Amino acid sequence: MAVGLTVATGDTLVRMRLAALRHSLRDQNKVSWIASGAFVGLVLAGGTVWLAVRGDHDVVAVAIAVWMLGWVVGPLFAGGGDETLKPEYFTMLPLPPRALSGGLLAAAMAGVAPVVSLLALLSLAVVGAQLSVVAVLVSVPALLLQLLCFVLASRLAVAIYGVLLQIRSGAVLAALVNAFILAFTAQGWALIAAYITTDVQGAMAQAARIAPSGWGLVAVEAAGRGDWLRVLLALAGLLLLAAVMFVAWSALLVRRTTATRSGVQPRRPLTASDARGAAAGKELRSWTRDLLYGHRAVFAIAYGVFFCLMPIAVGWKGMLPWAGAASVVMAGAMFANLYGADGTAYWSTLMVPGSSRFDIRARQRAFLLVFGPPALLITVLFTWWSGTDTWPVVLSVVPALLGGAAGLVVLASVYAAVPTTDAHKRSGNPLNSGENEGEAMGLVYVMLVLISLTAVPALVVALPAGWWGVPVGLATGVLAWWGFGRLAVARLDARGPELLTLLRHGRTTGDQASVTSLSAKMQLLPKWQRHLAGACLGFGAIPLFPQAVVPAVFKLNDNPAKVWFLALYAPGPWQWPIIVAMACLGLGMYGYGASVYYRASKLKLPAVDSPDADPPGEGAMQPAS
């Protein structure tokens, strides 16, 4: 009976999941994201199979471990993963926890990511084909069980992460783990280079086989040797691991859908005597009591530290002085949607006449108070540790970035607010903040670039003139803090009710039309132009920043490190021409992508007759008789 109910539930939820996927394909933005992710996944899956074809089983073990790691940590950076079917939707149905968990697991298997991972796991079948026919037969249950463990590990990780974010120490721990993983995606080349140039490859391969991600490969290799005891142990281990993770996930789903939130007694009432003090007290309480605020703050600071620490693995300390600056840039990007995070709580501010200026300035002061001291302390300590003579440059850049971030954060929050789930309506998965995750991530990427640009004046002066860049950086930071804040106040005074409507109801039909009209106009252009423009905007930063700006800074500071910068490996006379060429290439890519979108915006959409339109000559309303 229980098995039949689980199968029926799974069938229904799978059909619901596939129907939701079909409907999502009507959104061109989602189609682009899905297509891009599928393409990258297929390339990586093909690379994994190619490693198996080469017969390098040690590298295959490490590659499969990386796949499982991606399943565990990927959803933590993608809004809690795909939760089209949230467990909260089914709380009123008389379903046992195991039946609901089994149905949700079956629905999770119906997607693009599991199919791509299954293709990557075909590398086990390739390894088996190189050993024996029996090994090929063993590879079939091995890769299916491995895929099941991938999906269950992903779901369990998200569930555990949601529990951690409900306690302060757990939120800090999760932030540190996420920061390290994201920094590894950007600076992992240093650790990989250290791995390749040392004798730890064998140890890594052995560790990958011992980990659950390697048990399928162990079973296939053991079948090729005729070691049936190890085959049974490996397959039984995968099956037992899947069962344990399923039971644990089911228990956490029960906790998520049945836990009650008890009221919290205020520890200390607000005792401000004026509007400025009240706004400051309210904002500081948001930073100290909202665990998502604390999580993101720790993440931003830890990311800057990890990002600049990893190159030490290859003996390069040149990134250490920039840890504080990297933390500030990431912090500004993470908090670029303050009013969107507030949601309908903004109503209490809007109803107080003249409160916009106090609220904006309070948010700016809180941002500087939270990130200013850590950024300056990290900058001083790491610059001293690096032993480089970069004091004028970093002490010029950090104040400019702090002021620029404090100004741009509030400006973006009022001009480009993204509606998210209200704090009191958050589900058991705090990572999932609504249906606008893609728009929120786009805002983060834009802010990374804009905040970095605020340091350009200080950098231009500090590189040739040394300490003269410090007053320029201070002036730039103060002007950005004051000017952008003033613009945000004016916008909030003029469009406060519209902002509240957006946060409460989401985008109206007119807003959605303005957002999607550009996408519709882009469809009028040839497909190759659309794809080329997207590629240029997505990858233009690679030649511009790491291959032009950074090596130029190295050249001006006589830094002998070459690392992975192409220009620094060329003969001396050719280094500056290559740097200039890379800068022109990056700017050209951005320029071409922007020009394509600009030309598309000037196009006119063809008129479409609505089937619901009134017949010619007839009004929408007829006079009453």
Side-chain angles (χ1 to χ4, degrees):
M1 181 67 179
V3 175
L5 182 59
T6 302
V7 172
T9 303
D11 178 67
T12 302
L13 294 185
V14 166
R15 287 189 283 112
M16 291 175 64
R17 174 70 183 87
L18 294 177
L21 180 61
R22 287 195 303 270
H23 286 293
S24 68
L25 295 180
R26 299 176 182 176
D27 188 340
Q28 292 298 324
N29 291 329
K30 289 186 177 180
V31 171
S32 300
W33 279 102
I34 294 173
S36 302
F39 175 76
V40 174
L42 289 174
V43 171
L44 295 177
T48 306
V49 175
W50 177 73
L51 292 173
V53 172
R54 289 184 56 192
D56 196 343
H57 298 177
D58 288 348
V59 182
V60 171
V62 175
I64 295 178
V66 173
W67 276 94
M68 190 166 190
L69 181 64
W71 270 94
V72 172
V73 304
L76 307 185
F77 299 104
D82 184 5
E83 282 208 340
T84 305
L85 305 179
K86 296 181 180 181
E88 289 84 359
Y89 294 162
F90 310 99
T91 53
M92 301 301 293
L93 298 178
L95 291 174
R98 298 291 184 272
L100 179 58
S101 302
L104 291 174
L105 176 60
M109 300 289 288
V112 177
V115 173
V116 173
S117 298
L118 181 62
L119 295 177
L121 289 173
L122 289 178
S123 57
L124 297 180
V126 175
V127 171
Q130 296 171 350
L131 299 175
S132 66
V133 177
V134 177
V136 175
L137 297 177
V138 171
S139 68
V140 176
L143 66 89
L144 293 178
L145 287 173
Q146 201 76 72
L147 179 63
L148 180 63
C149 288
F150 282 4
V151 178
L152 280 170
S154 176
R155 296 293 86 199
L156 182 61
V158 171
I160 293 175
Y161 194 90
V163 174
L164 289 177
L165 284 183
Q166 295 175 14
I167 56 175
R168 196 171 304 278
S169 58
V172 172
L173 177 61
L176 293 175
V177 173
N178 285 1
F180 178 83
I181 294 171
L182 187 61
F184 180 82
T185 62
Q187 294 284 59
W189 59 267
L191 301 182
I192 294 172
Y195 163 75
I196 294 175
T197 56
T198 58
D199 57 353
V200 299
Q201 299 182 42
M204 289 288 293
Q206 184 65 24
R209 282 183 170 85
I210 295 174
S213 61
W215 293 353
L217 180 61
V218 169
V220 173
E221 291 177 331
R225 297 191 306 268
D227 188 353
W228 297 110
L229 177 59
R230 181 162 295 189
V231 171
L232 293 176
L233 288 176
L235 295 180
L238 285 174
L239 186 60
L240 179 62
L241 176 65
V244 171
M245 289 193 295
F246 179 75
V247 172
W249 180 45
S250 300
L252 290 176
L253 283 183
V254 172
R255 182 184 186 276
R256 171 175 171 177
T257 54
T258 60
T260 58
R261 299 173 181 266
S262 59
V264 178
Q265 184 177 1
R267 288 170 290 183
R268 184 168 57 86
L270 285 171
T271 56
S273 58
D274 55 9
R276 178 179 178 180
K282 183 266 295 183
E283 189 62 22
L284 288 177
R285 277 164 172 75
S286 298
W287 283 85
T288 56
R289 295 184 181 180
D290 191 328
L291 295 184
L292 281 181
Y293 269 55
H295 168 76
R296 291 170 180 169
V298 174
F299 168 82
I301 296 173
Y303 173 82
V305 172
F306 290 140
F307 181 84
C308 297
L309 273 177
M310 286 186 180
I312 294 181
V314 292
W316 180 41
K317 295 184 178 180
M319 290 291 295
L320 289 178
W322 302 98
S327 298
V328 174
V329 173
M330 180 57 71
M334 295 298 295
F335 290 94
N337 192 32
L338 289 174
Y339 284 100
D342 283 359
T344 55
Y346 171 62
W347 173 84
S348 61
T349 302
L350 179 64
M351 298 306 294
V352 179
S355 62
S356 298
R357 180 170 64 89
F358 299 109
D359 192 58
I360 289 291
R361 295 306 183 188
R363 293 178 186 271
Q364 290 183 297
R365 290 195 300 272
F367 182 89
L368 293 176
L369 182 62
V370 171
F371 293 106
L376 293 174
L377 180 62
I378 292 170
T379 299
V380 171
L381 291 179
F382 279 31
T383 304
W384 169 79
W385 181 15
S386 69
T388 59
D389 189 19
T390 55
W391 289 101
V393 180
V394 296
L395 293 181
S396 302
V397 167
V398 171
L401 289 175
L402 281 171
L408 286 170
V409 160
V410 294
L411 189 66
S413 295
V414 297
Y415 271 91
V418 179
T420 60
T421 305
D422 280 0
H424 66 284
K425 293 182 179 180
R426 290 173 187 165
S427 66
N429 177 13
L431 293 169
N432 193 289
S433 56
E435 300 178 354
N436 301 304
E437 291 291 342
E439 190 177 349
M441 289 303 298
L443 180 61
V444 169
Y445 293 139
V446 171
M447 287 292 289
L448 289 174
V449 177
L450 294 180
I451 295 173
S452 300
L453 291 177
T454 60
V456 170
L459 195 62
V460 169
V461 175
L463 287 175
W467 290 102
W468 286 104
V470 175
V472 174
L474 290 172
T476 302
V478 171
L479 288 175
W481 175 85
W482 177 81
F484 291 145
R486 186 178 178 85
L487 291 175
V489 171
R491 173 76 174 188
L492 209 56
D493 284 335
R495 304 294 295 272
E498 288 86 345
L499 176 60
L500 178 60
T501 302
L502 171 66
L503 299 179
R504 182 177 181 182
H505 301 292
R507 301 198 181 280
T508 62
T509 304
D511 293 332
Q512 292 173 351
S514 65
V515 172
T516 58
S517 61
L518 182 57
S519 300
K521 292 178 180 179
M522 285 292 292
Q523 300 303 313
L524 302 178
L525 299 177
K527 183 179 294 185
W528 69 269
Q529 282 192 7
R530 301 198 303 268
H531 292 321
L532 184 58
C536 288
L537 293 175
F539 299 102
I542 295 178
L544 180 59
F545 293 102
Q547 297 298 335
V549 175
V550 177
V553 173
F554 278 28
K555 288 280 292 180
L556 294 173
N557 287 277
D558 296 324
N559 193 320
K562 297 181 179 181
V563 200
W564 63 297
F565 307 127
L566 176 64
L568 302 184
Y569 284 93
W574 289 97
Q575 292 184 355
W576 277 113
I578 292 177
I579 290 175
V580 174
M582 285 293 179
C584 293
L585 176 61
L587 293 174
M589 293 173 68
Y590 277 125
Y592 176 79
S595 66
V596 170
Y597 275 86
Y598 178 76
R599 290 199 305 271
S601 67
K602 298 301 181 182
L603 298 177
K604 291 185 178 180
L605 293 173
V608 178
D609 295 332
S610 172
D612 298 327
D614 296 317
E618 297 184 11
M621 298 180 61
Q622 298 293 336
S625 58

